[in-house]
Amino acid sequence: MNLLSGMWQWLTDPTNWTGTGAIPARMLEHVAYSGVVMLVAVLVAVPLGLLVGHTGRGAGVVIGVSGALRALPTLGLLTLFSLLMGLGLVPPLLALVILAVPPILTATYAGVAEVDPAVKDAAKAQGMTPGQVLGHVEVPLALPVAMGGIRNAALQVIATATVAAYINLGGLGRYLIDGLAVRDYSRMLGSVLLVAVLALAADAVLAALQRAVSSPGIRTSPTEK
Amino acid sequence: MTWLPENLDLLLRLTGTHLFQSVLPVVLGLLISVPLARMASGSRWLRPVTINGAALLYTIPSLTLFVVLPVILGTRITSITNVIVALTVYVIAILVRSCTDAFESVDPAVLQAATAMGYTRTQRFWAVELPLAVPVMLAGVRTALVANISMVSVGAVIGVQSLGTLFTDGLRRSIAEEILVGVVVTVVLAVLLDQVLRLAGLFLTRWQRPGRVDTRTRLAATGGAA
Amino acid sequence: MTTTSPTPGPRAPRFSRRALLPAAVAGVLVLSACGSSDPLAEDDQSAGSDDGAVTVGSADFPESQIIAELYAGVLRDAGVEATTEPGIGAREAYVSAVEDGSIDLVPDYTGNLLLYVDSESKAASADEIMAELPDALPEGLTVLEPSEAENKDAMVVTQDTADEYSLTSISDMASVCGELVIAGPPEFQERAYGLPGLESKYNCVPESFEPINDGGGSLTVDTLTRGDADVANIFTTTPAIEEQNLVVLEDPENNFIAQQVIPLAAEDRLPEGSEDALNELSSKLTTEDLIELNQAVSGDGAVSPQQAAQKWLEENGYDAA
């Protein structure tokens, strides 16, 4: 149990809460990195998922490629990119974007592909153009599912950003990697609790967003419990 | 291409240990998750406890488990045991949920029919319930295995050998090819094993009409943790 | 049984996550509290050797692997059967591997080995360290003769930086330290020889510290040559020091303690003739050799640690096939 008391001491030590490299600063870095990564990943994956889901073309490729992307080891990408591009924010953040894209892409695709064909036919019968069908019918119906993928990706990015600190990224992973270098378990455990808190907070925000974007007509969908 | 031809032995050895570290946790995790999920499915209180607990395990970074487990288990920090136990925890996090879903996806009418035919509870579980749950369960197993294969490499950061060793060694020796080979072999390994599981699934569910349940996309949205 | 109907089609996770924070704490508690027994037998140990064959282990970085290959090579040359077990891990891993018999011999560095077995030791020079090391080792472990070859941490700057601030020694840094950015591995922030040592021995507190975790490899060197950092903690056997014309600052206060290459072995497990062969190798090996060997295994056209070692052995008159 002295692990826990050590962790608690680290977390409550006031010197860990002020200055550069202190907990609030590291948390802010972590949030900023994760935010940028998620933004880029959403901008890449959502339009692509919508397109593939809407046209139905290339679905097999998207599912297959996403599966393979999922298997890409983040540590490998991080070290490879760093070796090829040098230090800086780009290698770790790029590795994280590649981690975040597959869950968002497959969820967005699944959300659109899953829309009942009868609903789409009804929309066409009312004279909607393909663009309108996508914008007024498919996207609203797919959003809750897509948001599920985004929540998933966010959890993974926040947890994995700690590994991305392996070479030189800031954020809460610094405590983990630096703590590992000097075998300081209190610090490592403390940072784990902070990462968990951050992940849960981010998930709560995204869950609220998910409810907000669900159109009233589908709000009783079994996605929510 | 100069690194690869010179290091085939090393690559083979690391691939072997990588495979061991990714597959064993799936087996162990399955042995733990199936009974847990069977108890949880349909239970008013156990279901939310296990499902939420599993979701929570996912927020723990893998690297943390790798370094904290030795302190809890009393193992050496570079022991392969830590990686096996940590990954088993993640596998349970994925499988408890998908196995619970799997048991709940079994049509109650079928179970009633089995009971009516005189099956005991135990017989019904092995002969009817478990086989019917396999398709949904398998999707979870495939997700867990792919996630594992990518996660095992993180062990290299604490000195546990795997294909991840090529990443840390390649970085230190500035050999991009070595890292690239590690990444490619990892992905190939994941795709191959995933296909093996898919075929195993087809074999296990050969009584089923093809395409009845699209298990692949069903769990496609539940990814792996880092 | 209750009849919760399955959700059709693909679904995002539907975890209810409201009660998760208390559960988070509980989860950590459970993790810390559960089981102290090891559910799996240790299965990663290679056979120890009582049959006259020597297993040479190495740490998980290239130089250690090269030296392990050199040890195995000279043993074979002396007629002792020897195999290598490369990349065992950090010091705590390979030291216990020697203790539990998975390996018989491993290359180490005098200063860090002494601090590992006696963290209170204040020994700094090569002689001081060797005066304490043999007695500080736990039962069952022994060291042979140290080599003149050494690989220790050092403060390194570019020629331009050295000229700009007229730096030849770390002492010269004191007056300008507040303007300098230091790069190094993360542990440099906290280890006694790191930032604390620079402050207490040289009164040097840098403007900031940039952690780079590549073992003083090419990324650390790039940071220095691109000017993103002014000073870097790089190992003295890094080939880039010569290639990039970098300046290693002198260390008059012995902040960075001596790190001679030394064989760490299991007592009584080395066959006859092994000790002499290893001591002879240690007397031949130089720091320049280490630099060249490191160069051979890095970058484009790199050879394996084994090949690099083989070449050195042949050039130095050994028959290690």
Side-chain angles (χ1 to χ4, degrees):
Chain A
M1 281 296 128
N2 51 7
L3 258 186
L4 284 184
S5 62
M7 174 183 93
W8 188 247
Q9 262 172 22
W10 182 81
L11 280 173
T12 50
D13 184 348
T15 57
N16 288 332
W17 287 88
T18 49
T20 55
I23 292 170
R26 290 295 186 214
M27 275 209 148
L28 207 63
E29 282 172 359
H30 208 97
V31 170
Y33 299 148
S34 309
V36 170
V37 166
M38 286 304 294
L39 190 69
V40 175
V42 164
L43 287 179
V44 172
V46 170
L48 195 60
L50 288 178
L51 186 74
V52 174
H54 178 67
T55 60
R57 257 175 258 152
V61 176
V62 163
I63 297 280
V65 169
S66 298
L69 279 183
R70 223 183 267 276
L72 276 177
T74 305
L75 183 66
L77 296 183
L78 172 73
T79 48
L80 186 63
F81 294 160
S82 297
L83 208 52
L84 297 178
M85 305 179 206
L87 289 172
L89 286 178
V90 176
L93 296 191
L94 186 58
L96 289 175
V97 167
I98 292 176
L99 175 79
V101 163
I104 305 178
L105 181 58
T106 42
T108 310
Y109 157 76
V112 178
E114 202 191 307
V115 173
D116 190 340
V119 176
K120 283 188 275 189
D121 288 345
K124 271 183 234 160
Q126 287 186 335
M128 286 194 188
T129 63
Q132 285 172 322
V133 174
L134 181 68
H136 294 304
V137 178
E138 287 175 309
V139 169
L141 285 175
L143 259 181
V145 182
M147 277 303 294
I150 291 175
R151 284 169 67 179
N152 228 315
L155 274 185
Q156 289 184 51
V157 165
I158 290 172
T160 312
T162 55
V163 175
Y166 176 62
I167 295 179
N168 74 325
L169 194 69
L172 292 170
R174 233 14 309 140
Y175 294 126
L176 199 58
I177 303 289
D178 295 356
L180 178 65
V182 292
R183 300 281 187 262
D184 180 351
Y185 288 97
S186 306
R187 195 185 332 170
M188 283 189 270
L189 269 183
S191 71
V192 173
L193 200 67
L194 295 175
V195 172
V197 168
L198 205 59
L200 296 174
D203 195 58
V205 170
L206 289 174
L209 198 62
Q210 188 174 19
R211 272 192 295 280
V213 299
S214 300
S215 111
I218 54 168
R219 202 159 284 172
T220 51
S221 138
T223 311
E224 291 300 310
K225 244 192 138 157
Chain B
M1 294 293 275
T2 53
W3 183 87
L4 182 58
E6 297 288 343
N7 290 277
L8 284 175
D9 283 358
L10 177 70
L11 185 63
L12 209 62
R13 186 167 61 82
L14 293 178
T15 306
T17 172
H18 196 100
L19 206 56
F20 177 75
Q21 291 172 63
S22 2
V23 173
L24 185 59
V26 174
V27 175
L28 296 176
L30 199 58
L31 290 178
I32 296 169
S33 302
V34 168
L36 207 59
R38 179 61 191 82
M39 283 188 282
S41 67
S43 161
R44 204 168 272 278
W45 64 272
L46 193 58
R47 190 180 196 285
V49 169
T50 54
I51 301 259
N52 288 334
L56 181 83
L57 288 177
Y58 243 49
T59 65
I60 306 178
S62 51
L63 186 56
T64 321
L65 270 190
F66 292 167
V67 295
V68 171
L69 278 175
V71 183
I72 301 167
L73 301 174
T75 43
R76 279 194 275 121
I77 187 160
T78 51
S79 166
I80 205 169
T81 309
N82 306 319
V83 175
I84 305 276
V85 174
L87 291 185
T88 304
V89 168
Y90 285 117
V91 170
I92 294 171
I94 296 174
L95 285 189
V96 160
R97 204 190 125 69
S98 72
C99 289
T100 307
D101 280 352
F103 284 119
E104 288 173 356
S105 75
V106 177
D107 188 344
V110 175
L111 297 182
Q112 283 165 9
T115 309
M117 283 170 66
Y119 278 94
T120 64
R121 285 182 72 91
T122 323
Q123 282 174 328
R124 194 184 73 178
F125 175 78
W126 289 106
V128 182
E129 217 175 339
L130 193 59
L132 283 175
V134 160
V136 177
M137 216 181 265
L138 190 76
V141 172
R142 288 171 66 181
T143 307
L145 188 63
V146 171
N148 265 8
I149 289 175
S150 128
M151 260 192 286
V152 163
S153 26
V154 176
V157 171
I158 52 162
V160 177
Q161 303 252 305
S162 68
L163 288 171
T165 306
L166 302 179
F167 308 151
T168 49
D169 188 64
L171 178 68
R172 288 192 179 123
R173 293 169 63 190
S174 308
I175 306 177
E177 186 192 338
E178 182 178 358
I179 302 177
L180 192 62
V181 167
V183 171
V184 170
V185 174
T186 308
V187 173
V188 169
L189 209 57
V191 171
L192 277 182
L193 281 188
D194 193 47
Q195 289 308 307
V196 168
L197 278 183
R198 191 181 64 86
L199 293 175
L202 287 179
F203 176 75
L204 283 174
T205 59
R206 58 197 183 281
W207 39 268
Q208 209 181 28
R209 283 189 301 279
R212 211 188 102 198
V213 183
D214 186 4
T215 52
R216 185 70 185 128
T217 47
R218 185 182 163 74
L219 282 194
T222 58
Chain C
M1 66 181 283
T2 48
T3 56
T4 316
S5 66
T7 329
R11 279 292 167 236
R14 47 179 170 158
F15 317 140
S16 152
R17 302 170 199 227
R18 221 167 296 155
L20 281 190
L21 188 52
V25 179
V28 173
L29 279 167
V30 168
L31 269 178
S32 322
C34 76
S36 57
S37 66
D38 178 353
L40 296 165
E42 289 285 331
D43 50 7
D44 53 349
Q45 296 178 0
S46 64
S49 49
D50 305 303
D51 52 358
V54 174
T55 308
V56 189
S58 70
D60 58 355
F61 57 94
E63 186 176 279
S64 175
Q65 291 168 18
I66 298 168
I67 302 172
E69 294 293 344
L70 291 178
Y71 286 174
V74 299
L75 288 175
R76 284 185 210 120
D77 181 69
V80 176
E81 202 180 315
T83 54
T84 53
E85 179 78 26
I88 291 177
R91 183 165 285 103
E92 54 188 14
Y94 62 72
V95 170
S96 45
V98 176
E99 284 177 320
D100 70 19
S102 354
I103 59 173
D104 306 301
L105 174 69
V106 64
D108 210 329
Y109 301 89
T110 53
N112 283 341
L113 180 59
L114 177 60
L115 285 180
Y116 176 75
V117 293
D118 176 13
S119 55
E120 306 289 303
S121 172
K122 299 271 175 275
S125 75
D127 291 344
E128 284 167 13
I129 290 170
M130 277 318 292
E132 290 185 22
L133 184 57
D135 295 332
L137 288 173
E139 190 94 10
L141 294 181
T142 184
V143 287
L144 308 184
E145 295 293 319
S147 169
E148 174 221 322
E150 183 178 37
N151 178 11
K152 62 180 191 174
D153 294 271
M155 294 280 88
V156 175
V157 295
T158 59
Q159 188 64 53
D160 288 348
T161 308
D163 293 343
E164 186 183 344
Y165 299 101
S166 13
L167 303 176
T168 54
S169 131
I170 305 178
S171 318
D172 304 331
M173 273 169 58
S175 56
V176 290
C177 222
E179 308 164 30
L180 302 177
V181 176
I182 298 185
E187 62 267 26
F188 192 78
Q189 294 165 87
E190 291 157 66
R191 290 266 165 88
Y193 63 79
L195 296 185
L198 290 184
E199 184 175 0
S200 64
K201 295 206 172 75
Y202 292 103
N203 195 23
C204 165
V205 179
E207 187 198 330
S208 66
F209 178 80
E210 183 80 29
I212 304 171
N213 201 10
D214 70 338
S218 62
L219 292 177
T220 311
V221 173
D222 286 351
T223 315
L224 197 61
T225 51
R226 284 185 202 168
D228 293 332
D230 307 294
V231 188
N233 172 215
I234 292 175
F235 294 113
T236 48
T237 57
T238 308
I241 292 177
E242 225 174 87
E243 292 164 10
Q244 310 273 353
N245 196 22
L246 303 177
V247 178
V248 176
L249 297 179
E250 285 164 32
D251 177 23
E253 303 290 334
N254 277 325
N255 177 50
F256 299 106
I257 62 175
Q259 304 285 359
Q260 293 175 289
V261 173
I262 194 166
L264 172 68
E267 221 161 11
D268 307 328
R269 277 220 304 273
L270 292 186
E272 221 176 299
S274 317
E275 282 198 25
D276 292 342
L278 291 167
N279 285 340
E280 194 197 323
L281 170 78
S282 293
S283 70
K284 282 185 183 170
L285 192 68
T286 65
T287 304
E288 282 66 39
D289 288 333
L290 290 185
I291 295 174
E292 278 170 29
L293 288 163
N294 277 324
Q295 196 162 17
V297 301
S298 300
D300 295 328
V303 300
S304 70
Q306 199 174 1
Q307 289 166 322
Q310 194 69 35
K311 185 158 170 283
W312 187 93
L313 289 168
E314 279 163 20
E315 284 170 4
N316 286 272
Y318 284 99
D319 173 22

